[in-house]
Amino acid sequence: MTSHRTLNLAVTGGGTGGHTYPALTTITTLRDRLAQQGTTLNVTWYGDAQGLEARICQTHDITFRPIATGKVRRSLKPAAVLRTLTDMARVPYGILQAAGSLARHRPDVVLSTGGYVAVPVGLGAALTRRPLVMHEQITAVGLANRVLARVATAVALSHDSSRDALPRRARSRAKTTGNPVRYALLHGDAGKARAAYGLDPAVPLIYVTGGAQGSAQINALITDILPTLLPTCQVLHQCGPDHHQRMLGHAAGLDLHLAHRYRPVPYIDGELADVFAAADLIVSRAGAGTLAELTAIGKPSVLIPLEPTAADEQRHNAEYLAGHGAAIAITRPNVTARRLGESLQSMIADAPLRADMAAKARALGHPDAADALADLVLAHARTRRQGGTRGRAR
């Protein structure tokens, strides 16, 4: 690729952070690598104008093209079925839109990271004979990717266990790359987190998160067990902006001798790598991005999956880590404050157990996933002649 001045990349995928951020991380990795070779990366992202991907593109100065698409809803309620049928009627138009745009702009390669927004563009890539690299984040294979796997040039998996869920003909085109995580997350500074949040380095730290918006369920469970938990540890709790005042109220009612060990915060962003580095144990949901981060950094965890999700994704993710001894999964109907409290108490009291779980998590991780996926994208990109003009497809 060193002789190319430009590489045109089309990207599709979005709807949620789990589909969007792996694509963004891969774009960043490709851009940095190609810049070292004197190559410019031109990116066009196709997606839903109302989706997260549109906002991400605006923030990161990436060209965005809206595509008509439709979402399949698994509910059999009449209103949901009607919306699905209405949405599905838009998909053929989206495919034509995507195919027309791809035929005009002729990207060297198309990267799809899944979600319903990816289907029209992935099928458009097949119609216009553009190389399609499809990436799957979850331990199973999502509905959109089960469709696209049949036409993809290459299939990138986050977990080896996903291979058997692919259509049989696609398995020979599959490679396990892992799920890209931000490079910065791998290099946190525990001391910075302790200074930023007033944490005691001599007391075990549990980091609790329900995601960017917080989780009412996790917040309620933590509230119930704080009085018995804080004598043995400290808790940094990303509770979500809408829940912060309520959690501060709970903190005000704690024993004065222990209250300083509980830190509810609305959101953690730039300091997340430092918080991960400082944490002895993490309580979290079990989305695909979470699994990628926990295994890349090698952290023991107690996972409380959001249930239900599409194809029961989070429960499968949590059970995947638990089955490898890398986490404790608390799933329905056993999601209780007592179960969570007992799990946390046993892990806080057993440092060798935490170390063993951390090692097993790290063994499942792919900290180099962004580079591996970038390699796959470059390997399937169509070549260009010196000077940036398009060459013949190989």
Side-chain angles (χ1 to χ4, degrees), residues 302-334:
V302 175
L303 300 176
I304 305 171
L306 178 64
E307 300 180 85
T309 51
D312 229 0
E313 169 197 335
Q314 289 209 12
R315 182 176 64 82
H316 288 303
N317 289 346
E319 291 175 347
Y320 172 77
L321 252 62
H324 285 82
I328 290 176
I330 302 179
T331 60
R332 292 181 177 178
N334 299 314

Side-chain angles (χ1 to χ4, degrees), residues 93-239:
Y93 176 63
I95 296 171
L96 293 175
Q97 262 189 312
S101 182
L102 294 173
R104 288 192 301 275
H105 298 286
R106 297 182 65 196
D108 298 298
V109 62
V110 180
L111 171 64
S112 167
T113 55
Y116 63 91
V117 301
V119 173
V121 182
L123 295 178
L127 288 173
T128 56
R129 299 185 181 277
R130 297 290 97 190
L132 173 64
V133 176
M134 183 204 93
H135 181 259
E136 177 58 78
Q137 296 85 45
I138 65 175
T139 51
V141 176
L143 178 60
N145 278 346
R146 289 203 298 274
V147 173
L148 296 184
R150 300 177 185 278
V151 298
T153 312
V155 176
L157 303 176
S158 297
H159 308 278
D160 289 330
S161 61
S162 303
R163 193 176 301 266
D164 290 341
L166 290 170
R168 189 172 298 277
R169 288 182 300 171
R171 295 174 191 174
S172 63
R173 290 177 270 123
K175 179 178 181 180
T176 302
T177 61
N179 192 7
V181 298
R182 290 172 287 168
Y183 180 77
L185 288 181
L186 308 177
H187 301 279
D189 185 329
K192 288 183 178 179
R194 294 182 186 119
Y197 295 103
L199 303 170
D200 186 343
V203 179
L205 172 64
I206 299 176
Y207 172 52
V208 178
T209 175
Q213 301 304 315
S215 161
Q217 180 191 40
I218 291 177
N219 292 352
L221 294 172
I222 289 295
T223 299
D224 287 348
I225 63 175
L226 279 175
T228 57
L229 200 57
L230 294 179
T232 56
C233 66
Q234 55 191 335
V235 176
L236 177 61
H237 184 184
Q238 178 180 279
C239 57

